[in-house]
Amino acid sequence: MFENKTEQEARFEILDMVGSYCDIYHKKARYKSGDKISYAGRVYDRDEMVNLVNSSLEFWLTAGHYTEEFEKKFAEYIGVKYCSVVNSGSSANLLAFIALTAIELGERRINRGDEVITVAAGFPTTITPILQYGAVPVFVDITIPQYNIDVTKLEEAYSSKTKAVMLAHTLGNPFNIKSVKEFCDKYNLWLIEDNCDALGSLYTLNGETKFTGTFGDIATSSFYPPHHITMGEGGAVYTSNPLLHKLIRSFRDWGRDCVCASGQDNLCGHRFDQQYGELPFGYDHKYVYSHLGYNLKATDMQAAVGCAQMNKLEEFSSRRRANFERLYKSLQVVADKLILPQAAPLADPSWFGFLLTCKAGVDKNKVVQSLEKNGIQTRMLFAGNMIKQPCFDEMRLNGKGYRVVGTLENTDILMNATFWVGVYPGMNDDMIDAMSDAIISAVMTEME
Ligand SMILES: Cc1ncc(COP(=O)(O)O)c(C=O)c1O
């Protein structure tokens, strides 16, 4: 088949066919009334599939040139100095946290028993790294309808053991960055932004509008399919601090000291002439471990898909915003029965989803079941109140391992009465309208 062809010609032919295959067999059927409406989905075309196959044909497999390209593109787009691709958003959170436990950070290092301020309303892996390390999450209530930390409780949450604040921008809605940053600056605390659900969200601080993920010390993203862009599985950790970047890379790559990329040797020129720990002088730097690390790298195939997705991010974000606006307007008629979401002051969210809280007299379970029966996919705000989850049974019983500031009244309301539906860029106006009709009808019927 490829007789008399160069490798490049053969590859071009394959990729051309892959592009046509995608155009023909992955073409999305137009939405028809009555079709199921998912809360999220992959939005892609031939660009992603061609990149993916190209990377497979190269067969480098581990992190390579696509990974480098993605890290550069992502950092430039969002406005940070350094980005590290990892294999999931959860790995990204683990890395962001564990980097702050490094000895190099001196007094500011997070030690076991130190406290990290966060919320219980959200995704579990924003807080699991804190607990797994032996630090103490301090849970503060949220406000509704912003679904982010109640910043009026921050001072009460502070103790002499507080070292960091680690928070997600809930479903794309930035938390009150202004107040949280002022609090962190006042007490010299680290700020980790879990930006997994908020890529493309904007916030204006001191007159400057920037993307979320650029305000704290470290931020994280997830590229699991429902997210703002996807790699299948994947994530990123980003920072503008060179020391934190070095630590992130070390913990990501087995804890090693050496910064050579896969397949690279002796970048620093000192591979065999240094003293490390109590190792023999000149021990191969490639095998020197300055931290107890992990391997959280992703493959180049994932990054290849991500590179193509990055070119679509701007368009995805505007579609998310438009879908949100349309749904928001049409649901005004049930605003006396459902609490509609509200963007934080100074924020322009790229919404991950549309949060709705049932007011008194409206049964969330009935509304959700009616929507699901009518083909509208719904989701909970993940763990609801994390402390009520079975994984907290032991800690709850012992009353150890975490701390609660005051009550988590709104977090419980969220757990009992809140759900969300999608606004992802694969949705068109017809789908938004059908979803809105179904929500209105479900609420009205429930009230009868
Ligand atoms: C806020 C938040 N953080 C972290 C994650 C974890 O990301 P991943 O599924 O890629 O591990 C998620 C997952 O959706 C999330 O919503």
Side-chain angles (χ1 to χ4, degrees):
M1 183 179 184
F2 293 132
E3 268 160 44
N4 303 324
K5 288 199 171 120
T6 64
E7 188 272 338
Q8 218 172 1
E9 285 165 343
R11 194 193 291 207
F12 187 78
E13 205 170 300
I14 293 168
L15 296 180
D16 201 37
M17 284 170 74
V18 167
S20 302
Y21 173 90
C22 187
D23 292 346
I24 297 166
Y25 299 110
H26 282 251
K27 204 165 155 194
K28 249 197 143 9
R30 251 196 97 70
Y31 167 77
K32 295 184 303 323
S33 172
D35 284 353
K36 185 175 166 153
I37 301 178
S38 308
Y39 83 99
R42 300 152 301 158
V43 180
Y44 64 97
D45 59 23
R46 56 162 48 213
D47 302 344
E48 283 77 3
M49 208 174 278
V50 164
N51 268 17
L52 176 63
V53 174
N54 192 34
S55 168
S56 310
L57 294 174
E58 286 167 1
F59 215 66
W60 180 253
L61 302 181
T62 181
H65 73 91
Y66 277 117
T67 305
E68 241 175 76
E69 182 186 327
F70 182 88
E71 288 173 344
K72 193 164 173 287
K73 257 187 174 167
F74 187 94
E76 273 171 17
Y77 180 84
I78 199 145
V80 290
K81 287 204 181 116
Y82 313 101
C83 167
S84 301
V85 168
V86 291
N87 57 18
S88 75
S90 303
S91 299
N93 281 342
L94 170 62
L95 257 186
F97 177 81
I98 213 74
L100 299 180
T101 67
I103 195 164
E104 287 89 333
L105 300 176
E107 297 241 303
R108 292 195 66 196
R109 165 194 204 187
I110 300 175
N111 291 298
R112 291 183 176 81
D114 282 344
E115 294 187 343
V116 180
I117 296 172
T118 187
V119 295
F123 199 79
T125 58
T126 310
I127 61 153
T128 41
I130 306 170
L131 285 159
Q132 283 168 344
Y133 178 71
V136 179
V138 175
F139 296 113
V140 176
D141 206 4
I142 55 159
T143 59
I144 295 177
Q146 295 80 18
Y147 305 95
N148 280 308
I149 191 163
D150 180 351
V151 292
T152 63
K153 308 264 169 64
L154 280 172
E155 286 292 338
E156 197 185 333
Y158 181 79
S159 85
S160 58
K161 290 191 167 177
T162 311
K163 285 280 180 66
V165 176
M166 185 163 179
L167 292 168
H169 299 294
T170 304
L171 282 206
N173 195 16
F175 54 77
N176 186 333
I177 294 177
K178 184 173 183 291
S179 300
V180 171
K181 269 221 48 105
E182 279 167 10
F183 174 75
C184 289
D185 290 347
K186 178 175 171 189
Y187 294 108
N188 203 20
L189 308 175
W190 300 110
L191 174 58
I192 301 178
E193 290 177 78
D194 177 337
N195 202 32
C196 286
D197 296 344
L199 184 57
S201 290
L202 293 161
Y203 189 86
T204 305
L205 186 63
N206 303 326
E208 197 188 353
T209 303
K210 299 197 301 173
F211 285 117
T212 53
T214 61
F215 294 93
D217 297 286
I218 308 181
T220 60
S221 276
S222 164
F223 306 130
Y224 187 66
H227 290 257
H228 290 66
I229 58 168
T230 187
M231 293 183 181
E233 299 287 350
V237 187
Y238 34 106
T239 181
S240 287
N241 178 322
L243 173 59
L244 293 180
H245 172 61
K246 191 166 179 256
L247 295 170
I248 288 161
R249 284 289 168 104
S250 173
F251 279 104
R252 184 192 67 174
D253 304 351
W254 307 283
R256 69 183 183 158
D257 199 64
C258 169
V259 296
C260 282
S262 283
Q264 198 172 40
D265 289 326
N266 211 5
L267 181 71
C268 64
H270 294 285
R271 186 170 164 192
F272 300 109
D273 63 6
Q274 301 289 312
Q275 179 69 56
Y276 296 102
E278 293 188 4
L279 292 167
F281 179 81
Y283 194 80
D284 187 347
H285 189 212
K286 268 185 112 50
Y287 296 96
V288 173
Y289 302 96
S290 38
H291 304 102
L292 296 168
Y294 309 91
N295 177 3
L296 303 174
K297 295 195 299 301
T299 68
D300 226 33
M301 282 92 73
Q302 289 160 280
V305 174
C307 284
Q309 288 269 289
M310 272 309 286
N311 299 334
K312 300 185 170 85
L313 177 54
E314 199 63 36
E315 188 192 320
F316 286 171
S317 301
S318 46
R319 192 66 230 173
R320 281 182 181 276
R321 287 184 169 98
N323 286 343
F324 181 92
E325 281 309 314
R326 191 174 181 92
L327 189 56
Y328 188 85
K329 278 196 190 119
S330 61
L331 288 181
Q332 288 299 329
V333 290
V334 281
D336 57 334
K337 302 181 177 63
L338 294 174
I339 302 175
L340 304 185
Q342 198 178 90
L346 308 169
D348 178 11
S350 175
W351 296 94
F352 188 51
F354 196 101
L355 279 151
L356 290 159
T357 297
C358 296
K359 290 191 176 174
V362 183
D363 183 331
K364 178 196 75 175
N365 289 341
K366 286 194 184 147
V367 172
V368 161
Q369 279 167 36
S370 157
L371 289 173
E372 293 281 346
K373 208 173 86 206
N374 288 307
I376 311 293
Q377 209 174 29
T378 60
R379 287 291 180 267
M380 296 298 104
L381 188 65
F382 312 123
N385 180 345
M386 188 65 191
I387 298 170
K388 306 267 167 98
Q389 290 281 346
C391 56
F392 262 74
D393 282 354
E394 197 183 344
M395 280 185 280
R396 234 185 301 109
L397 248 148
N398 297 337
K400 276 191 190 149
Y402 66 97
R403 190 159 72 78
V404 174
V405 179
T407 66
L408 300 183
E409 207 178 317
N410 285 333
T411 306
D412 284 338
I413 292 175
L414 172 145
M415 176 181 64
N416 292 317
T418 304
F419 67 96
W420 59 280
V421 292
V423 290
Y424 80 102
M427 285 174 151
N428 59 26
D429 289 354
D430 290 346
M431 292 158 89
I432 294 289
D433 294 347
M435 199 161 66
S436 164
D437 290 348
I439 294 170
I440 294 167
S441 151
V443 173
M444 294 305 191
T445 318
E446 213 287 294
M447 298 294 289
E448 277 165 12

